Amino acid sequence: HLRRPVSFEGLDMLLRCSIGMAVYPRHGRNIEMLLAKADVALGIGKRQGGNTSVMFSPEFGENQRGNFDLESALHTAVDRSELVLHYQPIVDARNGRVSGAEALMRWMRGGQLITPASFIPLAEENGLVFRMGEWAISEALQQVRRWQLRGLGLTSVSVNINVRHLVQPSLTRAVTQALEATQLPPSTLTLELTESDVMQDIEKALTALRVLKDLGVRLALDDFGTGYSSLAYLTQLPLDLLKIDRSFIQEMQINPQQLMVVRGIVALGSALGLTITAEGVENREELIALQKMGCQLVQGYFFTRPLTATDFDTWWRQTRANPGLLVATGTGSHDAIVV
């Protein structure tokens, strides 16, 4: 019956339906318990793509309780100073200098490091991602200032933000306050948004990005190549950088088509006057290929995994003292990279 078209004003419409089920007495002995467990099953069905029916399982309940515990603790993570930033260096492929760092959020809960994949989706669901993003902006800029006072001339730090944060007035206020508190130039901060998220509501994103651009911060489109951007919109976005998704970099040595995609993105960025960053560089061959293409910036495990602020400081000093630690040579226009 649910699959039959619904006629309305001369139109036949096909509706999707998801059903969550719980059975008495196996899943509960009162209506409240049965409805609660049926609702959990319904949520599982929707996350699996919808248009389906799912029977409640005790395993769903265990996972749900775990999420409730995690979400409850996440509400106080900022106040308890449990959130930390790790930093991955961004290297200039043309001269080998560290040009900046990407700040990546981690959660230190009870001595255990929790990865973003475990808590960022929860933060997005309950709106905590906005407060966490504003904390990350402030903390990253303060860390840059601390490094500069210690003689490390880092001049750029990137922070990932959720696209829904763009329309929150608190974002512009948080950026302004963080820059004023650290007395750093606005261009020190780069805000990164994923391509797929920006394309979901391009008109709202355009307006908000222009406001941020007027502040003087730099803007990057992350995971480029995965979000099906319209080139017409790409020319309108007030961007400074395109970041090539790591999936293209990892496959370009074995897949000629992926190699052509990377070359095309580098050429497109050059034509639009944008800086191109390649993410996920893991070996010397990938680095050399990117150098030959003229890719300006690179980051990835070839240089180092994301580091705590203290370890980043140590790594940077060591590589400056021992230039041979990270060397790649090629036969293109840029013969070597030395960090």
Side-chain angles (χ1 to χ4, degrees):
H1 284 289
L2 292 170
R3 290 195 181 101
R4 292 175 182 171
V6 176
S7 295
F8 179 73
E9 294 186 356
L11 296 176
D12 287 338
M13 295 179 289
L14 294 173
L15 304 181
R16 295 166 60 85
C17 179
S18 299
I19 301 173
M21 297 176 287
V23 178
Y24 171 90
R26 178 156 41 113
H27 299 138
R29 293 185 175 273
N30 58 60
I31 189 65
E32 290 80 10
M33 183 63 72
L34 287 173
L35 284 173
K37 292 187 175 181
D39 189 54
V40 169
L42 176 62
I44 296 292
K46 288 181 176 180
R47 286 195 289 273
Q48 291 176 348
N51 211 32
T52 185
S53 60
V54 176
M55 179 69 73
F56 178 81
S57 166
E59 295 178 0
F60 299 164
E62 291 299 322
N63 292 336
Q64 195 76 0
R65 279 195 292 273
N67 283 343
F68 286 152
D69 291 342
L70 202 63
E71 184 174 348
S72 177
L74 190 58
H75 274 278
T76 59
V78 175
D79 295 331
R80 293 179 178 178
S81 299
E82 293 178 348
L83 296 181
V84 296
L85 293 180
H86 286 191
Y87 299 86
Q88 185 170 48
I90 299 173
V91 177
D92 192 322
R94 297 161 294 187
N95 56 33
R97 296 189 179 93
V98 176
S99 70
E102 180 177 358
L104 300 165
M105 191 178 296
R106 302 291 187 264
W107 181 13
M108 185 64 71
R109 184 190 181 199
Q112 179 184 2
L113 195 65
I114 301 177
T115 61
S118 300
F119 67 89
I120 291 298
L122 287 176
E124 291 175 341
E125 288 178 11
N126 57 34
L128 281 173
V129 69
F130 304 143
R131 185 182 177 203
M132 291 163 59
E134 289 160 18
W135 169 83
I137 290 169
S138 175
E139 174 60 25
L141 287 173
Q142 288 181 45
Q143 184 57 58
V144 169
R145 186 60 180 154
R146 288 192 287 267
W147 277 327
Q148 290 183 352
L149 292 174
R150 287 172 52 82
L152 294 176
L154 195 77
T155 59
S156 175
V157 67
S158 300
V159 177
N160 296 274
I161 61 170
N162 186 283
V163 69
R164 290 184 297 148
H165 204 169
L166 287 176
V167 296
Q168 300 291 323
S170 60
L171 177 61
T172 303
R173 184 166 58 249
V175 169
T176 303
Q177 290 174 349
L179 290 169
E180 290 177 350
T182 56
Q183 293 296 298
L184 291 170
S187 58
T188 304
L189 177 64
T190 299
L191 297 178
E192 296 188 10
L193 299 106
T194 59
E195 179 189 19
S196 55
D197 287 343
V198 170
M199 292 303 134
Q200 287 179 7
D201 196 340
I202 186 67
E203 295 300 335
K204 285 185 179 179
L206 269 171
T207 301
L209 288 172
R210 286 169 181 152
V211 172
L212 289 167
K213 187 67 175 177
D214 289 341
L215 291 178
V217 302
R218 304 196 328 150
L219 302 170
L221 200 60
D222 199 8
D223 297 340
F224 186 74
T226 63
Y228 313 106
S229 294
S230 162
L231 291 182
Y233 278 124
L234 191 59
T235 60
Q236 296 178 45
L237 291 168
L239 299 173
D240 299 280
L241 302 97
L242 292 181
K243 301 192 74 173
I244 306 175
D245 185 70
R246 68 186 64 221
S247 62
F248 295 112
I249 305 302
Q250 291 169 353
E251 294 185 20
M252 69 180 186
Q253 296 297 306
I254 58 174
N255 187 333
Q257 291 180 322
Q258 298 287 52
L259 181 62
M260 293 302 296
V261 168
V262 175
R263 284 178 176 165
I265 294 174
V266 173
L268 175 64
S270 177
L272 295 175
L274 302 175
T275 300
I276 301 295
T277 303
E279 297 184 286
V281 178
E282 296 188 356
N283 58 60
R284 197 177 303 274
E285 290 72 24
E286 291 171 351
L287 176 57
I288 292 172
L290 290 164
Q291 286 178 282
K292 291 179 180 179
M293 293 178 202
C295 181
Q296 297 101 320
L297 303 176
V298 287
Q299 65 181 102
Y301 288 179
F302 176 72
F303 302 100
T304 181
R305 292 174 178 271
L307 303 167
T308 65
T310 301
D311 289 343
F312 186 96
D313 186 311
T314 302
W315 174 86
W316 196 357
R317 294 180 189 277
Q318 287 176 343
T319 53
R320 290 200 304 180
N322 300 280
L325 287 177
L326 294 172
V327 178
T329 58
T331 57
S333 58
H334 307 293
D335 293 328
I337 179 171
V338 181
V339 179

